[in-house]
Amino acid sequence: MPPSQASIDDFSTYDSEEEYRLAQQEWEETVQQLHLLVSVVILPFVGKYLGRRWSQWDISHRELQPMRAIFVLD
């Protein structure tokens, strides 16, 4: 009986190693998908939003102080 017990332990170890490898592979795929989501979808929207906010702020400050821009450049 001890040899059969050893073979069962070998299979259970293999299963847990295989499960660990599959879990690690899924985790890496998930991280890759999140990275792709951030770089392709979220960052362009954030950049677009911040660019529009900056242009609105810049235009409003130029309208409020038109002469200051002239004197600062000279």
Side-chain angles (χ1 to χ4, degrees):
M1 282 240 200
S4 64
Q5 183 64 29
S7 64
I8 291 173
D9 289 338
D10 289 340
F11 286 123
S12 65
T13 302
Y14 176 76
D15 288 341
S16 65
E17 289 175 2
E18 183 69 19
E19 288 174 3
Y20 176 77
R21 187 184 64 78
L22 289 174
Q24 184 68 25
Q25 185 179 5
E26 286 184 27
W27 172 253
E28 291 171 359
E29 289 175 1
T30 302
V31 169
Q32 185 180 12
Q33 288 174 354
L34 286 173
H35 177 71
L36 187 63
L37 176 72
V38 167
S39 64
V40 173
V41 176
I42 295 175
L43 283 179
F45 278 114
V46 169
K48 185 177 180 180
Y49 173 77
L50 291 176
R52 288 181 178 180
R53 295 289 292 176
W54 169 257
S55 67
Q56 289 174 356
W57 178 86
D58 189 39
I59 289 171
S60 68
H61 277 77
R62 286 185 186 192
E63 289 175 355
L64 293 176
Q65 301 172 351
M67 296 303 288
R68 182 172 180 217
I70 295 171
F71 290 121
V72 172
L73 294 175
D74 289 337

XYZ file of all heavy atoms in Angstrom:
622
model
N 0.793 -1.212 0.000
C 0.000 0.000 0.000
C 0.837 1.279 0.000
O 0.397 2.240 -0.610
C -0.918 -0.032 1.221
C -2.097 -0.905 1.029
S -3.392 0.192 1.219
C -4.746 -0.661 1.562
N 1.970 1.327 0.627
C 2.738 2.573 0.594
C 3.102 3.040 -0.804
O 3.040 4.239 -1.067
C 3.984 2.260 1.427
C 3.587 1.156 2.317
C 2.551 0.375 1.573
N 3.437 2.152 -1.770
C 3.722 2.679 -3.108
C 2.508 3.360 -3.749
O 2.640 4.370 -4.427
C 4.145 1.455 -3.913
C 4.610 0.465 -2.906
C 3.800 0.726 -1.682
N 1.313 2.825 -3.543
C 0.137 3.476 -4.122
C -0.128 4.819 -3.455
O -0.575 5.757 -4.103
C -1.087 2.564 -4.009
O -1.410 2.350 -2.649
N 0.135 4.917 -2.175
C -0.033 6.192 -1.475
C 0.943 7.229 -2.026
O 0.592 8.376 -2.221
C 0.198 6.010 0.040
C -0.025 7.257 0.863
C -1.461 7.733 0.829
O -2.383 6.936 0.660
N -1.666 9.013 0.967
N 2.155 6.812 -2.301
C 3.143 7.734 -2.853
C 2.702 8.228 -4.234
O 2.881 9.392 -4.568
C 4.506 7.060 -2.937
N 2.139 7.361 -5.026
C 1.715 7.784 -6.360
C 0.537 8.759 -6.288
O 0.444 9.675 -7.086
C 1.361 6.569 -7.216
O 0.261 5.887 -6.666
N -0.336 8.596 -5.315
C -1.448 9.532 -5.135
C -0.907 10.897 -4.731
O -1.343 11.928 -5.233
C -2.465 8.990 -4.095
C -3.182 7.783 -4.663
C -3.456 10.076 -3.715
C -4.076 7.083 -3.662
N 0.085 10.921 -3.838
C 0.689 12.189 -3.441
C 1.372 12.863 -4.624
O 1.337 14.085 -4.762
C 1.698 11.976 -2.306
C 1.021 11.629 -0.992
O -0.181 11.966 -0.854
O 1.671 11.036 -0.115
N 2.004 12.067 -5.482
C 2.644 12.630 -6.654
C 1.615 13.306 -7.573
O 1.857 14.389 -8.085
C 3.404 11.556 -7.433
C 4.647 11.079 -6.703
O 5.121 11.826 -5.810
O 5.128 9.968 -7.014
N 0.471 12.672 -7.760
C -0.564 13.265 -8.607
C -1.127 14.536 -7.978
O -1.373 15.518 -8.671
C -1.696 12.269 -8.865
C -1.330 11.190 -9.838
C -1.418 9.851 -9.484
C -0.896 11.514 -11.109
C -1.082 8.865 -10.374
C -0.552 10.524 -12.016
C -0.638 9.186 -11.648
N -1.337 14.533 -6.678
C -1.886 15.727 -6.039
C -0.885 16.870 -6.091
O -1.259 18.021 -6.258
C -2.303 15.424 -4.597
O -1.163 15.106 -3.813
N 0.391 16.570 -5.980
C 1.401 17.616 -6.105
C 1.415 18.159 -7.523
O 1.486 19.365 -7.734
C 2.802 17.055 -5.750
O 2.752 16.530 -4.433
C 3.852 18.129 -5.832
N 1.309 17.292 -8.482
C 1.283 17.726 -9.879
C 0.070 18.606 -10.142
O 0.166 19.642 -10.781
C 1.268 16.515 -10.816
C 1.146 16.897 -12.257
C 2.228 17.402 -12.958
C -0.076 16.783 -12.915
C 2.102 17.770 -14.285
C -0.196 17.145 -14.232
C 0.891 17.636 -14.914
O 0.766 18.013 -16.216
N -1.075 18.199 -9.602
C -2.284 18.992 -9.804
C -2.131 20.385 -9.197
O -2.507 21.370 -9.801
C -3.502 18.289 -9.220
C -3.919 17.077 -10.033
O -3.512 17.003 -11.219
O -4.632 16.216 -9.498
N -1.588 20.450 -7.991
C -1.459 21.762 -7.362
C -0.421 22.617 -8.099
O -0.598 23.821 -8.228
C -1.083 21.620 -5.889
O 0.194 21.037 -5.756
N 0.646 22.009 -8.600
C 1.614 22.766 -9.384
C 1.008 23.233 -10.697
O 1.235 24.360 -11.137
C 2.860 21.916 -9.655
C 3.709 21.681 -8.432
C 4.870 20.738 -8.701
O 5.020 20.301 -9.864
O 5.606 20.449 -7.756
N 0.217 22.368 -11.312
C -0.452 22.731 -12.560
C -1.473 23.848 -12.308
O -1.569 24.806 -13.085
C -1.142 21.502 -13.161
C -1.818 21.736 -14.482
C -0.845 21.988 -15.616
O 0.339 21.648 -15.478
O -1.284 22.543 -16.636
N -2.216 23.750 -11.221
C -3.182 24.791 -10.880
C -2.469 26.106 -10.595
O -2.936 27.172 -10.995
C -4.008 24.366 -9.668
C -5.002 23.260 -9.969
C -5.706 22.758 -8.719
O -5.465 23.314 -7.628
O -6.491 21.814 -8.835
N -1.337 26.034 -9.910
C -0.567 27.252 -9.620
C -0.079 27.886 -10.919
O -0.166 29.098 -11.098
C 0.620 26.918 -8.714
C 1.509 28.106 -8.466
C 1.136 29.104 -7.573
C 2.710 28.254 -9.150
C 1.933 30.199 -7.354
C 3.516 29.353 -8.945
C 3.127 30.326 -8.043
O 3.916 31.408 -7.823
N 0.411 27.076 -11.844
C 0.892 27.588 -13.115
C -0.248 28.238 -13.909
O -0.086 29.322 -14.477
C 1.521 26.460 -13.938
C 2.201 26.948 -15.219
C 2.723 25.800 -16.056
N 1.653 24.945 -16.553
C 0.874 25.247 -17.597
N 1.021 26.394 -18.208
N -0.061 24.420 -17.999
N -1.402 27.579 -13.915
C -2.552 28.151 -14.626
C -3.030 29.447 -13.975
O -3.384 30.401 -14.665
C -3.691 27.138 -14.686
C -3.473 25.940 -15.620
C -4.612 24.937 -15.461
C -3.358 26.396 -17.056
N -3.041 29.472 -12.651
C -3.447 30.692 -11.949
C -2.464 31.824 -12.229
O -2.867 32.975 -12.443
C -3.542 30.426 -10.447
N -1.184 31.505 -12.242
C -0.174 32.519 -12.542
C -0.333 33.030 -13.967
O -0.231 34.228 -14.224
C 1.230 31.926 -12.347
C 2.346 32.912 -12.549
C 2.371 33.980 -11.474
O 1.897 33.788 -10.369
N 2.924 35.123 -11.817
N -0.619 32.142 -14.893
C -0.821 32.536 -16.286
C -2.054 33.426 -16.427
O -2.022 34.447 -17.125
C -0.966 31.289 -17.165
C -1.065 31.588 -18.638
C -1.172 30.313 -19.469
O -1.260 29.223 -18.912
N -1.181 30.460 -20.775
N -3.132 33.083 -15.752
C -4.342 33.919 -15.796
C -4.076 35.289 -15.196
O -4.558 36.304 -15.698
C -5.478 33.229 -15.047
C -6.087 32.067 -15.785
C -7.271 31.478 -15.036
O -7.924 32.226 -14.274
O -7.535 30.280 -15.216
N -3.308 35.328 -14.106
C -2.990 36.599 -13.454
C -2.186 37.486 -14.406
O -2.465 38.678 -14.541
C -2.216 36.350 -12.163
C -1.702 37.611 -11.561
C -0.419 38.053 -11.540
C -2.481 38.629 -10.903
N -0.344 39.255 -10.919
C -1.591 39.633 -10.523
C -3.833 38.758 -10.627
C -2.019 40.773 -9.852
C -4.250 39.900 -9.954
C -3.356 40.885 -9.583
N -1.205 36.914 -15.077
C -0.397 37.691 -16.013
C -1.236 38.190 -17.182
O -1.062 39.325 -17.637
C 0.784 36.853 -16.506
C 1.814 36.594 -15.430
C 2.879 35.598 -15.845
O 2.805 35.085 -16.989
O 3.776 35.331 -15.032
N -2.160 37.383 -17.662
C -3.052 37.826 -18.735
C -3.956 38.954 -18.265
O -4.203 39.918 -18.998
C -3.897 36.661 -19.241
C -3.118 35.628 -20.035
C -3.960 34.426 -20.414
O -5.155 34.400 -20.070
O -3.414 33.514 -21.061
N -4.441 38.866 -17.037
C -5.298 39.914 -16.478
C -4.529 41.219 -16.345
O -5.042 42.293 -16.686
C -5.851 39.480 -15.111
O -6.574 38.263 -15.276
C -6.756 40.544 -14.519
N -3.315 41.147 -15.850
C -2.496 42.352 -15.714
C -2.219 42.962 -17.086
O -2.280 44.185 -17.256
C -1.180 42.026 -14.970
C -0.199 43.177 -15.054
C -1.467 41.661 -13.526
N -1.963 42.131 -18.069
C -1.725 42.622 -19.425
C -2.981 43.306 -19.984
O -2.889 44.358 -20.615
C -1.296 41.477 -20.334
C -0.905 41.906 -21.720
C -0.477 40.736 -22.588
O -0.683 39.593 -22.218
N 0.098 41.031 -23.727
N -4.138 42.717 -19.737
C -5.380 43.329 -20.218
C -5.648 44.657 -19.521
O -6.101 45.618 -20.155
C -6.546 42.374 -20.000
C -6.529 41.187 -20.929
C -7.604 40.172 -20.596
O -8.299 40.294 -19.591
N -7.748 39.160 -21.441
N -5.376 44.738 -18.224
C -5.563 46.002 -17.504
C -4.605 47.065 -18.031
O -4.978 48.234 -18.177
C -5.368 45.798 -16.006
C -6.501 45.072 -15.297
C -6.117 44.782 -13.851
C -7.777 45.886 -15.345
N -3.379 46.675 -18.298
C -2.403 47.612 -18.844
C -2.876 48.130 -20.207
O -2.799 49.334 -20.486
C -1.045 46.928 -18.978
C 0.010 47.785 -19.584
N 0.565 48.852 -18.926
C 0.577 47.743 -20.804
C 1.442 49.433 -19.715
N 1.465 48.772 -20.866
N -3.378 47.247 -21.025
C -3.887 47.639 -22.335
C -5.094 48.560 -22.197
O -5.207 49.563 -22.913
C -4.250 46.391 -23.142
C -4.644 46.594 -24.589
C -3.485 47.169 -25.386
C -5.088 45.270 -25.186
N -5.994 48.248 -21.275
C -7.168 49.086 -21.039
C -6.761 50.495 -20.628
O -7.282 51.484 -21.143
C -8.059 48.456 -19.966
C -9.278 49.267 -19.544
C -10.325 49.257 -20.649
C -9.853 48.727 -18.255
N -5.815 50.577 -19.715
C -5.375 51.890 -19.247
C -4.703 52.667 -20.365
O -4.987 53.847 -20.572
C -4.431 51.738 -18.026
C -3.716 53.033 -17.709
C -5.211 51.266 -16.814
N -3.817 52.023 -21.102
C -3.053 52.754 -22.112
C -3.869 53.095 -23.357
O -3.577 54.084 -24.023
C -1.808 51.958 -22.508
O -2.167 50.742 -23.117
N -4.885 52.321 -23.673
C -5.643 52.559 -24.907
C -6.934 53.327 -24.660
O -7.346 54.141 -25.485
C -5.947 51.216 -25.618
C -6.876 51.404 -26.792
C -4.658 50.564 -26.069
N -7.565 53.131 -23.517
C -8.879 53.741 -23.291
C -8.816 54.871 -22.270
O -9.244 55.996 -22.554
C -9.899 52.667 -22.833
C -11.231 53.296 -22.513
C -10.043 51.598 -23.893
N -8.288 54.610 -21.114
C -8.391 55.578 -20.011
C -7.452 56.766 -20.205
O -7.877 57.919 -20.057
C -8.150 54.866 -18.673
C -9.269 53.849 -18.442
C -8.073 55.861 -17.531
C -9.105 52.974 -17.225
N -6.185 56.538 -20.535
C -5.253 57.654 -20.682
C -5.656 58.651 -21.769
O -5.544 59.864 -21.550
C -3.834 57.139 -20.917
C -3.121 56.617 -19.679
C -1.741 56.112 -20.046
C -3.028 57.661 -18.605
N -6.115 58.211 -22.929
C -6.558 59.216 -23.913
C -7.728 60.072 -23.416
O -7.757 61.281 -23.671
C -6.965 58.373 -25.120
C -6.132 57.152 -25.016
C -6.044 56.884 -23.544
N -8.666 59.480 -22.704
C -9.777 60.271 -22.181
C -9.308 61.251 -21.116
O -9.751 62.406 -21.080
C -10.881 59.360 -21.617
C -11.793 58.820 -22.679
C -11.822 57.464 -22.947
C -12.615 59.657 -23.402
C -12.655 56.955 -23.926
C -13.457 59.169 -24.382
C -13.473 57.811 -24.649
N -8.401 60.825 -20.258
C -7.863 61.726 -19.233
C -7.082 62.852 -19.895
O -7.201 64.019 -19.515
C -6.992 60.942 -18.227
C -6.224 61.884 -17.322
C -7.851 59.997 -17.411
N -6.279 62.526 -20.900
C -5.525 63.550 -21.615
C -6.429 64.540 -22.333
O -6.164 65.745 -22.339
N -7.479 64.033 -22.925
C -8.436 64.908 -23.611
C -9.102 65.849 -22.608
O -9.227 67.048 -22.851
C -9.476 64.040 -24.309
C -10.463 64.762 -25.156
C -11.380 63.753 -25.845
C -12.400 64.386 -26.715
N -13.261 63.400 -27.372
N -9.519 65.306 -21.460
C -10.168 66.110 -20.432
C -9.217 67.185 -19.903
O -9.569 68.360 -19.813
C -10.641 65.210 -19.294
C -11.178 65.968 -18.103
C -12.442 66.533 -18.135
C -10.414 66.124 -16.958
C -12.927 67.240 -17.056
C -10.887 66.828 -15.868
C -12.144 67.379 -15.918
O -12.611 68.078 -14.851
N -7.995 66.778 -19.558
C -7.041 67.736 -19.012
C -6.642 68.782 -20.056
O -6.435 69.952 -19.714
C -5.803 67.007 -18.483
C -6.025 66.153 -17.242
C -4.751 65.415 -16.872
C -6.515 66.989 -16.078
N -6.533 68.377 -21.310
C -6.217 69.340 -22.363
C -7.300 70.386 -22.533
O -7.015 71.577 -22.701
N -8.533 69.948 -22.469
C -9.637 70.912 -22.588
C -9.700 71.831 -21.373
O -9.954 73.029 -21.512
C -10.963 70.174 -22.765
C -11.072 69.547 -24.128
C -12.373 68.831 -24.324
N -12.443 68.289 -25.680
C -13.448 67.613 -26.145
N -14.500 67.390 -25.389
N -13.434 67.137 -27.377
N -9.481 71.277 -20.189
C -9.481 72.109 -18.982
C -8.354 73.139 -19.054
O -8.538 74.292 -18.677
C -9.335 71.251 -17.725
C -10.490 70.311 -17.471
C -11.719 71.031 -17.049
N -11.484 71.591 -15.740
C -12.326 72.359 -15.084
N -13.479 72.638 -15.613
N -12.035 72.836 -13.906
N -7.180 72.710 -19.498
C -6.048 73.622 -19.595
C -6.340 74.735 -20.596
O -6.049 75.902 -20.335
C -4.788 72.864 -19.998
C -3.668 73.794 -20.370
C -3.246 74.101 -21.617
C -2.881 74.585 -19.482
N -2.229 75.004 -21.568
C -1.988 75.333 -20.259
C -2.862 74.733 -18.096
C -1.065 76.205 -19.709
C -1.935 75.606 -17.543
C -1.057 76.322 -18.336
N -6.908 74.392 -21.740
C -7.184 75.424 -22.742
C -8.232 76.406 -22.239
O -8.114 77.606 -22.492
C -7.617 74.797 -24.062
O -8.867 74.156 -23.925
N -9.239 75.927 -21.512
C -10.238 76.841 -20.953
C -9.599 77.767 -19.928
O -9.876 78.967 -19.904
C -11.372 76.050 -20.317
C -12.258 75.346 -21.313
C -13.282 74.442 -20.640
O -13.277 74.283 -19.418
N -14.132 73.826 -21.439
N -8.733 77.220 -19.089
C -8.066 78.041 -18.082
C -7.161 79.061 -18.749
O -7.140 80.229 -18.395
C -7.246 77.149 -17.145
C -6.503 77.923 -16.107
C -6.972 78.339 -14.907
C -5.154 78.388 -16.193
N -6.007 79.029 -14.232
C -4.876 79.074 -15.002
C -4.172 78.287 -17.168
C -3.639 79.659 -14.758
C -2.946 78.878 -16.920
C -2.690 79.556 -15.723
N -6.428 78.638 -19.760
C -5.494 79.509 -20.455
C -6.232 80.634 -21.167
O -5.833 81.798 -21.082
C -4.679 78.685 -21.453
C -3.546 79.477 -22.058
O -2.909 80.257 -21.327
O -3.306 79.320 -23.267
N -7.312 80.305 -21.846
C -8.086 81.329 -22.559
C -8.692 82.315 -21.573
O -8.659 83.525 -21.800
C -9.172 80.673 -23.434
C -8.512 79.963 -24.618
C -10.189 81.693 -23.912
C -9.471 79.102 -25.421
N -9.223 81.823 -20.460
C -9.843 82.736 -19.494
C -8.812 83.669 -18.868
O -9.108 84.836 -18.616
C -10.569 81.944 -18.409
O -9.647 81.255 -17.599
N -7.604 83.205 -18.637
C -6.580 84.083 -18.074
C -6.041 85.076 -19.094
O -5.644 86.183 -18.743
C -5.435 83.256 -17.481
C -5.722 82.787 -16.111
N -6.565 81.727 -15.853
C -5.316 83.238 -14.911
C -6.646 81.549 -14.557
N -5.891 82.446 -13.954
N -6.011 84.705 -20.344
C -5.582 85.639 -21.382
C -6.625 86.718 -21.605
O -6.291 87.868 -21.890
C -5.315 84.908 -22.681
C -4.046 84.113 -22.639
C -3.754 83.502 -23.973
N -2.603 82.631 -23.860
C -1.970 82.129 -24.885
N -2.378 82.402 -26.110
N -0.928 81.343 -24.715
N -7.904 86.382 -21.486
C -8.965 87.369 -21.661
C -8.998 88.342 -20.492
O -9.282 89.519 -20.668
C -10.312 86.679 -21.791
C -10.490 85.939 -23.097
C -11.788 85.151 -23.154
O -12.504 85.107 -22.140
O -12.080 84.584 -24.211
N -8.685 87.871 -19.298
C -8.726 88.739 -18.132
C -7.542 89.695 -18.089
O -7.661 90.804 -17.584
C -8.754 87.900 -16.845
C -10.023 87.081 -16.625
C -9.872 86.225 -15.375
C -11.227 88.003 -16.488
N -6.411 89.294 -18.586
C -5.212 90.126 -18.501
C -4.512 90.194 -19.857
O -3.423 89.660 -20.034
C -4.270 89.549 -17.451
C -4.897 89.462 -16.089
C -4.017 88.720 -15.105
O -3.014 88.137 -15.480
N -4.391 88.732 -13.867
N -5.114 90.854 -20.837
C -4.496 90.878 -22.169
C -3.188 91.686 -22.194
O -2.268 91.325 -22.901
C -5.562 91.507 -23.049
C -6.408 92.284 -22.130
C -6.366 91.577 -20.798
N -3.095 92.735 -21.449
C -1.914 93.582 -21.484
C -0.740 92.937 -20.738
O 0.412 93.195 -21.046
C -2.209 94.956 -20.890
C -3.241 95.732 -21.692
S -2.780 95.960 -23.427
C -1.495 97.141 -23.258
N -1.020 92.127 -19.777
C 0.046 91.495 -18.999
C 0.888 90.577 -19.885
O 2.113 90.557 -19.773
C -0.549 90.672 -17.852
C 0.508 90.050 -17.009
C -0.112 89.401 -15.779
N 0.966 88.813 -14.998
C 0.860 87.671 -14.354
N -0.270 87.013 -14.376
N 1.863 87.193 -13.674
N 0.261 89.900 -20.828
C 0.999 89.033 -21.736
C 1.946 89.847 -22.603
O 3.054 89.416 -22.889
C 0.035 88.234 -22.599
N 1.542 91.024 -22.990
C 2.394 91.881 -23.823
C 3.604 92.340 -23.016
O 4.739 92.307 -23.483
C 1.610 93.087 -24.374
C 0.526 92.589 -25.317
C 2.523 94.077 -25.058
C -0.447 93.656 -25.749
N 3.386 92.781 -21.778
C 4.476 93.294 -20.970
C 5.435 92.182 -20.511
O 6.611 92.428 -20.370
C 3.940 94.045 -19.754
C 3.279 95.351 -20.131
C 1.961 95.574 -19.804
C 3.967 96.320 -20.819
C 1.341 96.750 -20.148
C 3.361 97.517 -21.169
C 2.037 97.716 -20.830
N 4.927 91.020 -20.289
C 5.779 89.913 -19.863
C 6.699 89.481 -20.999
O 7.856 89.140 -20.778
C 4.925 88.712 -19.371
C 5.783 87.501 -19.118
C 4.195 89.113 -18.097
N 6.207 89.515 -22.232
C 7.022 89.103 -23.368
C 8.130 90.108 -23.662
O 9.170 89.763 -24.183
C 6.153 88.891 -24.607
C 5.160 87.734 -24.531
C 4.290 87.710 -25.770
C 5.900 86.424 -24.388
N 7.907 91.385 -23.366
C 8.905 92.430 -23.686
C 9.975 92.438 -22.704
O 10.506 92.248 -21.885
C 8.256 93.788 -23.747
C 7.376 93.905 -24.991
O 7.613 93.160 -25.949
O 6.491 94.748 -24.975
